[in-house]
Amino acid sequence: MAPNTERTFISIKPDGVQQGIVGDIIKQFEQKCFHLVAMKFLHASEELLKQHYTDLKDRPFYPGLVKYMNSGPIVAMVWEVLRVVKTGRLMLGETNPADTKPGTIHGDFCIRVGRNIIHGSDSVESAQKEINL
Ligand code: DAT
Ligand code: MG
């Protein structure tokens, strides 16, 4: 990797896959000149999801979050480019679709925080952890 180049973990959640917007989302990252370095279509196990979301284990929505993420297949991707972690989060918009503007992925494709169709790493460190998982 070139200096300052980062990798981020982005996954399209089960409802995003069901909505049929996988291609639209990948296209946005490609248009932004992110490089796709890995992609996997998988049905994540509860065990794997619990590890991925371990920081949230004491939050009231955690059991529902794990169940939702386990409800169908997801598209797990690694994207690489300069400052990709921050830019990726900007393209996703705020966690809660109600708090974010149209023109972001959360702003354009979903309504509820508990069904927000896409995940993106929030730091270089968490990206590393999530990619390893
Ligand atoms: P982010 O995914 O933006 O990093 P997070 O790590 O705080 O946000 O939460 C992880 C996911 O959990 C989030 O994408 C959607 C869900 N979530 C967060 N807050 C929630 C809430 N108040 N009710 C239901 N689900 C929530
Ligand atoms: Mg998070």
Side-chain angles (χ1 to χ4, degrees):
M1 270 199 291
N4 301 321
T5 298
E6 299 171 352
R7 288 183 171 185
T8 194
F9 177 72
I10 293 194
S11 61
I12 305 174
K13 300 181 181 184
D15 50 346
V17 172
Q18 275 163 30
Q19 234 169 289
I21 54 175
V22 169
D24 295 297
I25 290 175
I26 290 176
K27 186 167 191 202
Q28 289 195 18
F29 294 127
E30 288 178 331
Q31 281 173 336
K32 183 67 180 168
C33 303
F34 287 9
H35 303 297
L36 181 62
V37 295
M39 177 160 67
K40 195 169 176 178
F41 186 66
L42 75 156
H43 196 141
S45 68
E46 257 191 58
E47 187 49 41
L48 183 63
L49 292 164
K50 283 180 177 167
Q51 286 178 45
H52 174 90
Y53 284 120
T54 188
D55 294 351
L56 300 172
K57 65 180 184 306
D58 298 325
R59 305 295 291 274
F61 57 83
Y62 175 77
L65 175 63
V66 170
K67 201 171 160 207
Y68 152 54
M69 289 297 295
N70 179 241
S71 68
I74 64 170
V75 179
M77 299 173 285
V78 180
W79 293 88
E80 179 183 291
V81 83
L82 184 69
R83 290 185 290 271
V84 72
V85 171
K86 183 174 179 214
T87 309
R89 292 281 295 197
L90 286 173
M91 289 172 69
L92 262 54
E94 297 298 321
T95 302
N96 189 337
D99 296 333
T100 202
K101 292 193 175 104
T104 61
I105 296 173
H106 288 151
D108 286 348
F109 294 111
C110 55
I111 300 289
R112 292 161 59 198
V113 66
R115 296 287 182 273
N116 71 350
I117 69 143
I118 188 165
H119 164 85
S121 306
D122 61 9
S123 67
V124 174
E125 294 68 39
S126 51
Q128 195 60 61
K129 180 201 126 182
E130 292 167 2
I131 289 167
N132 288 339
L133 279 176

